[in-house]
Amino acid sequence: MLPYLQKNVPLSSYSTFGIGGEASFFLPCKTIDDLAGGMSWAEENGIISLVIGHGSNCLFPDQGFPGLILHNELVSFEDQGSGFFVVEAGYSFSLLGVQTCREGWSGLEFAAGIPGSVGGAIFMNAGAHGQETSLPLRFVEVLEHGKVQRIPRQEIRFGYRFSSFQEKKGIIVRAGFQLQKDDASYSRQLQMLEQRKKTQPYRESSAGCVFRNPPGCSAGKLIEEVGLKGTRIGGAEISPMHANFIVNSGGATSAQVKQLIDLVQSTVLEKRNVRLQCEVRLI
Ligand SMILES: Cc1cc2nc3c(=O)[nH]c(=O)nc-3n(C[C@H](O)[C@H](O)[C@H](O)COP(=O)(O)OP(=O)(O)OC[C@H]3O[C@@H](n4cnc5c(N)ncnc54)[C@H](O)[C@@H]3O)c2cc1C
């Protein structure tokens, strides 16, 4: 048995939506050995496993997760000089963005206010304001079959909210970012943060944008045009502030959020002939 293994842990506490039933097993992982031990324990016992960072892009099911959740809590941070930063995957992506910009480094301005981990940001290729995680990234270290392998940036495929990690099994454990000197980066970041607070329901429980923007248009604009802004099912609501956000306005269930997602997809398909794809991971 793993020393820190917990049973029946409510995933609502590990999701920015504040939604989700219990994980049958839950392992807080502070070291690579914890992650490797958890992965092999799950394999040996024929149990499914899933690594999570800050749960800011996940909708967990009401009935819970019938397997092992590995909670990535690896948080070391190294400033290696000349704008090169090496951080572990559980480190706060927002904090990384703020710390580096304050020191006059450019490349991660957009990260401020994204409530994910570095691992989750790489996995999702998080982005905003024309920047994305993959651009300043130089390498990623991945744990697979008990071994850590360093993968150079050029060997990883990235796209709009896509990384090739979405097609593989490994766990991202560490990454290196090369940033560029730019004394205006911090003031640019403050403007981006201001814009975020003005246009997004930033203080409410959500998982950020629910749908990917279809090529050449905005998912939020389409949802607004078909008249769904402000629509509620139970405690789940399409934000009156930003139609691509679904918020948990109190007591929402995963099923209610899923019903709103289905309603948006079918209405936008019927009225605008556009098939919206989920950006949020439906676990
Ligand atoms: C208010 C708000 C604003 C947001 N704004 C933005 C934005 O501007 N731009 C944007 O792109 N996103 C945004 N998001 C969405 C979200 O914050 C990002 O997608 C973030 O990168 C997810 O990181 P996480 O650690 O929370 O991932 P999680 O939700 O924990 O996990 C997401 C996926 O990544 C996988 N994963 C996580 N860590 C690892 C790892 N170490 N190794 C392998 N797989 C892993 C998980 O298995 C899961 O499939 C926003 C969310 C909120 C709530």
Side-chain angles (χ1 to χ4, degrees), residues 80-111:
Q80 295 197 343
S82 308
F84 200 72
F85 295 88
V86 176
V87 281
E88 284 187 313
Y91 199 78
S92 158
F93 190 54
S94 182
L95 182 60
L96 177 65
V98 173
Q99 270 176 309
T100 53
C101 279
R102 274 199 185 143
E103 289 171 21
W105 297 105
S106 169
L108 290 171
E109 289 89 325
F110 74 103

PDB file of all heavy atoms in Angstrom, residues 80-111:
ATOM      1  N   GLN A  80      17.621  29.791 -13.858  1.00  0.00           N
ATOM      2  CA  GLN A  80      18.974  29.372 -14.243  1.00  0.00           C
ATOM      3  C   GLN A  80      19.778  30.500 -14.898  1.00  0.00           C
ATOM      4  O   GLN A  80      20.873  30.270 -15.393  1.00  0.00           O
ATOM      5  CB  GLN A  80      18.881  28.161 -15.169  1.00  0.00           C
ATOM      6  CG  GLN A  80      18.299  26.946 -14.451  1.00  0.00           C
ATOM      7  CD  GLN A  80      18.550  25.637 -15.179  1.00  0.00           C
ATOM      8  OE1 GLN A  80      18.872  25.627 -16.358  1.00  0.00           O
ATOM      9  NE2 GLN A  80      18.390  24.536 -14.466  1.00  0.00           N
ATOM     10  N   GLY A  81      19.199  31.703 -14.918  1.00  0.00           N
ATOM     11  CA  GLY A  81      19.918  32.847 -15.476  1.00  0.00           C
ATOM     12  C   GLY A  81      19.621  33.052 -16.951  1.00  0.00           C
ATOM     13  O   GLY A  81      19.172  32.138 -17.647  1.00  0.00           O
ATOM     14  N   SER A  82      19.835  34.293 -17.432  1.00  0.00           N
ATOM     15  CA  SER A  82      19.617  34.683 -18.835  1.00  0.00           C
ATOM     16  C   SER A  82      18.215  34.338 -19.330  1.00  0.00           C
ATOM     17  O   SER A  82      18.032  33.975 -20.501  1.00  0.00           O
ATOM     18  CB  SER A  82      20.647  34.024 -19.753  1.00  0.00           C
ATOM     19  OG  SER A  82      21.937  34.266 -19.282  1.00  0.00           O
ATOM     20  N   GLY A  83      17.225  34.395 -18.434  1.00  0.00           N
ATOM     21  CA  GLY A  83      15.829  34.173 -18.840  1.00  0.00           C
ATOM     22  C   GLY A  83      15.438  32.716 -18.984  1.00  0.00           C
ATOM     23  O   GLY A  83      14.375  32.420 -19.526  1.00  0.00           O
ATOM     24  N   PHE A  84      16.291  31.811 -18.478  1.00  0.00           N
ATOM     25  CA  PHE A  84      15.942  30.385 -18.573  1.00  0.00           C
ATOM     26  C   PHE A  84      15.412  29.899 -17.221  1.00  0.00           C
ATOM     27  O   PHE A  84      16.094  29.999 -16.203  1.00  0.00           O
ATOM     28  CB  PHE A  84      17.156  29.558 -19.011  1.00  0.00           C
ATOM     29  CG  PHE A  84      16.750  28.226 -19.566  1.00  0.00           C
ATOM     30  CD1 PHE A  84      16.140  28.145 -20.819  1.00  0.00           C
ATOM     31  CD2 PHE A  84      16.919  27.056 -18.847  1.00  0.00           C
ATOM     32  CE1 PHE A  84      15.723  26.934 -21.348  1.00  0.00           C
ATOM     33  CE2 PHE A  84      16.506  25.837 -19.361  1.00  0.00           C
ATOM     34  CZ  PHE A  84      15.908  25.782 -20.617  1.00  0.00           C
ATOM     35  N   PHE A  85      14.168  29.409 -17.237  1.00  0.00           N
ATOM     36  CA  PHE A  85      13.507  28.992 -15.994  1.00  0.00           C
ATOM     37  C   PHE A  85      13.110  27.524 -16.104  1.00  0.00           C
ATOM     38  O   PHE A  85      12.538  27.107 -17.114  1.00  0.00           O
ATOM     39  CB  PHE A  85      12.257  29.850 -15.731  1.00  0.00           C
ATOM     40  CG  PHE A  85      12.590  31.295 -15.483  1.00  0.00           C
ATOM     41  CD1 PHE A  85      12.685  32.197 -16.541  1.00  0.00           C
ATOM     42  CD2 PHE A  85      12.844  31.759 -14.201  1.00  0.00           C
ATOM     43  CE1 PHE A  85      13.027  33.531 -16.328  1.00  0.00           C
ATOM     44  CE2 PHE A  85      13.172  33.095 -13.973  1.00  0.00           C
ATOM     45  CZ  PHE A  85      13.269  33.985 -15.036  1.00  0.00           C
ATOM     46  N   VAL A  86      13.440  26.762 -15.057  1.00  0.00           N
ATOM     47  CA  VAL A  86      13.080  25.338 -15.042  1.00  0.00           C
ATOM     48  C   VAL A  86      12.168  25.117 -13.838  1.00  0.00           C
ATOM     49  O   VAL A  86      12.530  25.436 -12.701  1.00  0.00           O
ATOM     50  CB  VAL A  86      14.336  24.443 -14.956  1.00  0.00           C
ATOM     51  CG1 VAL A  86      13.945  22.981 -14.839  1.00  0.00           C
ATOM     52  CG2 VAL A  86      15.210  24.667 -16.193  1.00  0.00           C
ATOM     53  N   VAL A  87      10.953  24.621 -14.115  1.00  0.00           N
ATOM     54  CA  VAL A  87       9.972  24.480 -13.033  1.00  0.00           C
ATOM     55  C   VAL A  87       9.336  23.105 -13.068  1.00  0.00           C
ATOM     56  O   VAL A  87       9.215  22.488 -14.131  1.00  0.00           O
ATOM     57  CB  VAL A  87       8.830  25.538 -13.133  1.00  0.00           C
ATOM     58  CG1 VAL A  87       9.277  26.870 -12.621  1.00  0.00           C
ATOM     59  CG2 VAL A  87       8.285  25.653 -14.525  1.00  0.00           C
ATOM     60  N   GLU A  88       8.914  22.649 -11.891  1.00  0.00           N
ATOM     61  CA  GLU A  88       8.195  21.374 -11.847  1.00  0.00           C
ATOM     62  C   GLU A  88       6.732  21.608 -12.226  1.00  0.00           C
ATOM     63  O   GLU A  88       6.200  22.730 -12.132  1.00  0.00           O
ATOM     64  CB  GLU A  88       8.338  20.740 -10.473  1.00  0.00           C
ATOM     65  CG  GLU A  88       9.716  20.114 -10.305  1.00  0.00           C
ATOM     66  CD  GLU A  88       9.860  19.321  -9.020  1.00  0.00           C
ATOM     67  OE1 GLU A  88       9.466  19.838  -7.944  1.00  0.00           O
ATOM     68  OE2 GLU A  88      10.392  18.200  -9.073  1.00  0.00           O
ATOM     69  N   ALA A  89       6.094  20.495 -12.640  1.00  0.00           N
ATOM     70  CA  ALA A  89       4.792  20.610 -13.310  1.00  0.00           C
ATOM     71  C   ALA A  89       3.641  21.023 -12.393  1.00  0.00           C
ATOM     72  O   ALA A  89       2.605  21.485 -12.872  1.00  0.00           O
ATOM     73  CB  ALA A  89       4.462  19.293 -14.002  1.00  0.00           C
ATOM     74  N   GLY A  90       3.808  20.893 -11.072  1.00  0.00           N
ATOM     75  CA  GLY A  90       2.720  21.300 -10.183  1.00  0.00           C
ATOM     76  C   GLY A  90       2.790  22.782  -9.826  1.00  0.00           C
ATOM     77  O   GLY A  90       1.915  23.309  -9.133  1.00  0.00           O
ATOM     78  N   TYR A  91       3.840  23.461 -10.297  1.00  0.00           N
ATOM     79  CA  TYR A  91       4.026  24.890  -9.985  1.00  0.00           C
ATOM     80  C   TYR A  91       2.884  25.704 -10.586  1.00  0.00           C
ATOM     81  O   TYR A  91       2.389  25.390 -11.673  1.00  0.00           O
ATOM     82  CB  TYR A  91       5.364  25.351 -10.567  1.00  0.00           C
ATOM     83  CG  TYR A  91       5.879  26.626  -9.948  1.00  0.00           C
ATOM     84  CD1 TYR A  91       6.488  26.615  -8.698  1.00  0.00           C
ATOM     85  CD2 TYR A  91       5.760  27.840 -10.608  1.00  0.00           C
ATOM     86  CE1 TYR A  91       6.961  27.791  -8.122  1.00  0.00           C
ATOM     87  CE2 TYR A  91       6.232  29.015 -10.041  1.00  0.00           C
ATOM     88  CZ  TYR A  91       6.831  28.979  -8.792  1.00  0.00           C
ATOM     89  OH  TYR A  91       7.294  30.134  -8.224  1.00  0.00           O
ATOM     90  N   SER A  92       2.482  26.768  -9.900  1.00  0.00           N
ATOM     91  CA  SER A  92       1.382  27.601 -10.402  1.00  0.00           C
ATOM     92  C   SER A  92       1.820  28.322 -11.686  1.00  0.00           C
ATOM     93  O   SER A  92       2.827  29.035 -11.704  1.00  0.00           O
ATOM     94  CB  SER A  92       1.006  28.630  -9.329  1.00  0.00           C
ATOM     95  OG  SER A  92       0.351  29.716  -9.934  1.00  0.00           O
ATOM     96  N   PHE A  93       1.038  28.136 -12.735  1.00  0.00           N
ATOM     97  CA  PHE A  93       1.374  28.748 -14.028  1.00  0.00           C
ATOM     98  C   PHE A  93       1.244  30.267 -13.943  1.00  0.00           C
ATOM     99  O   PHE A  93       2.053  31.012 -14.492  1.00  0.00           O
ATOM    100  CB  PHE A  93       0.450  28.159 -15.095  1.00  0.00           C
ATOM    101  CG  PHE A  93       0.827  28.509 -16.501  1.00  0.00           C
ATOM    102  CD1 PHE A  93       2.104  28.258 -16.983  1.00  0.00           C
ATOM    103  CD2 PHE A  93      -0.098  29.073 -17.358  1.00  0.00           C
ATOM    104  CE1 PHE A  93       2.461  28.570 -18.296  1.00  0.00           C
ATOM    105  CE2 PHE A  93       0.234  29.388 -18.668  1.00  0.00           C
ATOM    106  CZ  PHE A  93       1.515  29.144 -19.132  1.00  0.00           C
ATOM    107  N   SER A  94       0.215  30.719 -13.222  1.00  0.00           N
ATOM    108  CA  SER A  94      -0.007  32.152 -13.061  1.00  0.00           C
ATOM    109  C   SER A  94       1.177  32.794 -12.320  1.00  0.00           C
ATOM    110  O   SER A  94       1.712  33.825 -12.731  1.00  0.00           O
ATOM    111  CB  SER A  94      -1.312  32.381 -12.301  1.00  0.00           C
ATOM    112  OG  SER A  94      -1.570  33.737 -12.166  1.00  0.00           O
ATOM    113  N   LEU A  95       1.600  32.123 -11.238  1.00  0.00           N
ATOM    114  CA  LEU A  95       2.718  32.652 -10.451  1.00  0.00           C
ATOM    115  C   LEU A  95       3.995  32.716 -11.300  1.00  0.00           C
ATOM    116  O   LEU A  95       4.736  33.699 -11.258  1.00  0.00           O
ATOM    117  CB  LEU A  95       2.933  31.760  -9.217  1.00  0.00           C
ATOM    118  CG  LEU A  95       4.023  32.185  -8.253  1.00  0.00           C
ATOM    119  CD1 LEU A  95       3.753  33.571  -7.693  1.00  0.00           C
ATOM    120  CD2 LEU A  95       4.133  31.175  -7.098  1.00  0.00           C
ATOM    121  N   LEU A  96       4.216  31.682 -12.109  1.00  0.00           N
ATOM    122  CA  LEU A  96       5.392  31.669 -12.985  1.00  0.00           C
ATOM    123  C   LEU A  96       5.362  32.888 -13.919  1.00  0.00           C
ATOM    124  O   LEU A  96       6.367  33.582 -14.094  1.00  0.00           O
ATOM    125  CB  LEU A  96       5.417  30.372 -13.806  1.00  0.00           C
ATOM    126  CG  LEU A  96       6.545  30.245 -14.831  1.00  0.00           C
ATOM    127  CD1 LEU A  96       7.908  30.195 -14.148  1.00  0.00           C
ATOM    128  CD2 LEU A  96       6.348  28.995 -15.699  1.00  0.00           C
ATOM    129  N   GLY A  97       4.160  33.148 -14.471  1.00  0.00           N
ATOM    130  CA  GLY A  97       4.007  34.290 -15.373  1.00  0.00           C
ATOM    131  C   GLY A  97       4.286  35.603 -14.659  1.00  0.00           C
ATOM    132  O   GLY A  97       5.007  36.470 -15.166  1.00  0.00           O
ATOM    133  N   VAL A  98       3.741  35.755 -13.450  1.00  0.00           N
ATOM    134  CA  VAL A  98       3.895  37.021 -12.720  1.00  0.00           C
ATOM    135  C   VAL A  98       5.353  37.223 -12.273  1.00  0.00           C
ATOM    136  O   VAL A  98       5.937  38.295 -12.468  1.00  0.00           O
ATOM    137  CB  VAL A  98       2.928  37.072 -11.512  1.00  0.00           C
ATOM    138  CG1 VAL A  98       3.199  38.297 -10.646  1.00  0.00           C
ATOM    139  CG2 VAL A  98       1.479  37.079 -11.988  1.00  0.00           C
ATOM    140  N   GLN A  99       5.945  36.161 -11.718  1.00  0.00           N
ATOM    141  CA  GLN A  99       7.335  36.269 -11.228  1.00  0.00           C
ATOM    142  C   GLN A  99       8.292  36.663 -12.353  1.00  0.00           C
ATOM    143  O   GLN A  99       9.150  37.519 -12.181  1.00  0.00           O
ATOM    144  CB  GLN A  99       7.801  34.890 -10.737  1.00  0.00           C
ATOM    145  CG  GLN A  99       7.519  34.623  -9.290  1.00  0.00           C
ATOM    146  CD  GLN A  99       7.930  33.195  -8.947  1.00  0.00           C
ATOM    147  OE1 GLN A  99       7.549  32.255  -9.634  1.00  0.00           O
ATOM    148  NE2 GLN A  99       8.691  33.039  -7.889  1.00  0.00           N
ATOM    149  N   THR A 100       8.125  36.021 -13.511  1.00  0.00           N
ATOM    150  CA  THR A 100       9.074  36.264 -14.601  1.00  0.00           C
ATOM    151  C   THR A 100       8.862  37.663 -15.198  1.00  0.00           C
ATOM    152  O   THR A 100       9.830  38.342 -15.509  1.00  0.00           O
ATOM    153  CB  THR A 100       8.981  35.165 -15.680  1.00  0.00           C
ATOM    154  OG1 THR A 100       7.609  35.029 -16.108  1.00  0.00           O
ATOM    155  CG2 THR A 100       9.484  33.832 -15.177  1.00  0.00           C
ATOM    156  N   CYS A 101       7.605  38.082 -15.324  1.00  0.00           N
ATOM    157  CA  CYS A 101       7.352  39.427 -15.885  1.00  0.00           C
ATOM    158  C   CYS A 101       7.854  40.512 -14.958  1.00  0.00           C
ATOM    159  O   CYS A 101       8.396  41.522 -15.401  1.00  0.00           O
ATOM    160  CB  CYS A 101       5.862  39.625 -16.136  1.00  0.00           C
ATOM    161  SG  CYS A 101       5.352  38.884 -17.673  1.00  0.00           S
ATOM    162  N   ARG A 102       7.667  40.307 -13.656  1.00  0.00           N
ATOM    163  CA  ARG A 102       8.145  41.313 -12.687  1.00  0.00           C
ATOM    164  C   ARG A 102       9.640  41.516 -12.809  1.00  0.00           C
ATOM    165  O   ARG A 102      10.165  42.581 -12.513  1.00  0.00           O
ATOM    166  CB  ARG A 102       7.823  40.856 -11.266  1.00  0.00           C
ATOM    167  CG  ARG A 102       6.443  41.259 -10.863  1.00  0.00           C
ATOM    168  CD  ARG A 102       6.337  41.212  -9.352  1.00  0.00           C
ATOM    169  NE  ARG A 102       4.986  41.491  -8.953  1.00  0.00           N
ATOM    170  CZ  ARG A 102       4.375  40.923  -7.946  1.00  0.00           C
ATOM    171  NH1 ARG A 102       5.003  40.024  -7.214  1.00  0.00           N
ATOM    172  NH2 ARG A 102       3.151  41.245  -7.647  1.00  0.00           N
ATOM    173  N   GLU A 103      10.337  40.461 -13.215  1.00  0.00           N
ATOM    174  CA  GLU A 103      11.795  40.578 -13.381  1.00  0.00           C
ATOM    175  C   GLU A 103      12.173  41.028 -14.786  1.00  0.00           C
ATOM    176  O   GLU A 103      13.347  40.978 -15.163  1.00  0.00           O
ATOM    177  CB  GLU A 103      12.462  39.238 -13.066  1.00  0.00           C
ATOM    178  CG  GLU A 103      12.413  38.919 -11.591  1.00  0.00           C
ATOM    179  CD  GLU A 103      12.860  37.497 -11.285  1.00  0.00           C
ATOM    180  OE1 GLU A 103      13.559  36.885 -12.113  1.00  0.00           O
ATOM    181  OE2 GLU A 103      12.474  37.005 -10.224  1.00  0.00           O
ATOM    182  N   GLY A 104      11.143  41.404 -15.586  1.00  0.00           N
ATOM    183  CA  GLY A 104      11.427  41.957 -16.916  1.00  0.00           C
ATOM    184  C   GLY A 104      11.640  40.924 -18.004  1.00  0.00           C
ATOM    185  O   GLY A 104      12.313  41.195 -18.995  1.00  0.00           O
ATOM    186  N   TRP A 105      11.042  39.720 -17.832  1.00  0.00           N
ATOM    187  CA  TRP A 105      11.156  38.693 -18.872  1.00  0.00           C
ATOM    188  C   TRP A 105       9.823  38.555 -19.599  1.00  0.00           C
ATOM    189  O   TRP A 105       8.770  38.566 -18.978  1.00  0.00           O
ATOM    190  CB  TRP A 105      11.577  37.339 -18.278  1.00  0.00           C
ATOM    191  CG  TRP A 105      12.925  37.394 -17.650  1.00  0.00           C
ATOM    192  CD1 TRP A 105      13.210  37.415 -16.321  1.00  0.00           C
ATOM    193  CD2 TRP A 105      14.179  37.490 -18.340  1.00  0.00           C
ATOM    194  NE1 TRP A 105      14.564  37.504 -16.116  1.00  0.00           N
ATOM    195  CE2 TRP A 105      15.189  37.547 -17.337  1.00  0.00           C
ATOM    196  CE3 TRP A 105      14.564  37.533 -19.679  1.00  0.00           C
ATOM    197  CZ2 TRP A 105      16.541  37.645 -17.659  1.00  0.00           C
ATOM    198  CZ3 TRP A 105      15.917  37.619 -19.992  1.00  0.00           C
ATOM    199  CH2 TRP A 105      16.884  37.680 -18.995  1.00  0.00           C
ATOM    200  N   SER A 106       9.889  38.416 -20.902  1.00  0.00           N
ATOM    201  CA  SER A 106       8.678  38.336 -21.718  1.00  0.00           C
ATOM    202  C   SER A 106       8.484  36.935 -22.283  1.00  0.00           C
ATOM    203  O   SER A 106       9.457  36.219 -22.569  1.00  0.00           O
ATOM    204  CB  SER A 106       8.799  39.336 -22.871  1.00  0.00           C
ATOM    205  OG  SER A 106       7.771  39.112 -23.813  1.00  0.00           O
ATOM    206  N   GLY A 107       7.213  36.533 -22.458  1.00  0.00           N
ATOM    207  CA  GLY A 107       6.888  35.217 -23.043  1.00  0.00           C
ATOM    208  C   GLY A 107       5.730  34.572 -22.314  1.00  0.00           C
ATOM    209  O   GLY A 107       4.968  33.800 -22.886  1.00  0.00           O
ATOM    210  N   LEU A 108       5.585  34.923 -21.014  1.00  0.00           N
ATOM    211  CA  LEU A 108       4.510  34.306 -20.224  1.00  0.00           C
ATOM    212  C   LEU A 108       3.598  35.376 -19.609  1.00  0.00           C
ATOM    213  O   LEU A 108       2.977  35.139 -18.575  1.00  0.00           O
ATOM    214  CB  LEU A 108       5.096  33.406 -19.134  1.00  0.00           C
ATOM    215  CG  LEU A 108       5.765  32.110 -19.647  1.00  0.00           C
ATOM    216  CD1 LEU A 108       6.494  31.391 -18.523  1.00  0.00           C
ATOM    217  CD2 LEU A 108       4.726  31.169 -20.285  1.00  0.00           C
ATOM    218  N   GLU A 109       3.490  36.529 -20.270  1.00  0.00           N
ATOM    219  CA  GLU A 109       2.605  37.589 -19.760  1.00  0.00           C
ATOM    220  C   GLU A 109       1.190  37.048 -19.584  1.00  0.00           C
ATOM    221  O   GLU A 109       0.504  37.322 -18.608  1.00  0.00           O
ATOM    222  CB  GLU A 109       2.538  38.772 -20.740  1.00  0.00           C
ATOM    223  CG  GLU A 109       3.774  39.619 -20.838  1.00  0.00           C
ATOM    224  CD  GLU A 109       4.765  39.117 -21.880  1.00  0.00           C
ATOM    225  OE1 GLU A 109       4.890  37.888 -22.065  1.00  0.00           O
ATOM    226  OE2 GLU A 109       5.434  39.958 -22.496  1.00  0.00           O
ATOM    227  N   PHE A 110       0.729  36.288 -20.579  1.00  0.00           N
ATOM    228  CA  PHE A 110      -0.653  35.812 -20.615  1.00  0.00           C
ATOM    229  C   PHE A 110      -0.987  34.860 -19.475  1.00  0.00           C
ATOM    230  O   PHE A 110      -2.158  34.618 -19.190  1.00  0.00           O
ATOM    231  CB  PHE A 110      -0.923  35.082 -21.947  1.00  0.00           C
ATOM    232  CG  PHE A 110      -0.281  33.717 -22.031  1.00  0.00           C
ATOM    233  CD1 PHE A 110      -1.051  32.572 -21.862  1.00  0.00           C
ATOM    234  CD2 PHE A 110       1.074  33.581 -22.247  1.00  0.00           C
ATOM    235  CE1 PHE A 110      -0.468  31.310 -21.914  1.00  0.00           C
ATOM    236  CE2 PHE A 110       1.665  32.319 -22.296  1.00  0.00           C
ATOM    237  CZ  PHE A 110       0.891  31.191 -22.128  1.00  0.00           C
ATOM    238  N   ALA A 111       0.027  34.271 -18.839  1.00  0.00           N
ATOM    239  CA  ALA A 111      -0.222  33.237 -17.818  1.00  0.00           C
ATOM    240  C   ALA A 111      -0.887  33.828 -16.565  1.00  0.00           C
ATOM    241  O   ALA A 111      -1.581  33.106 -15.840  1.00  0.00           O
ATOM    242  CB  ALA A 111       1.081  32.547 -17.450  1.00  0.00           C
TER     243      ALA A 111
END
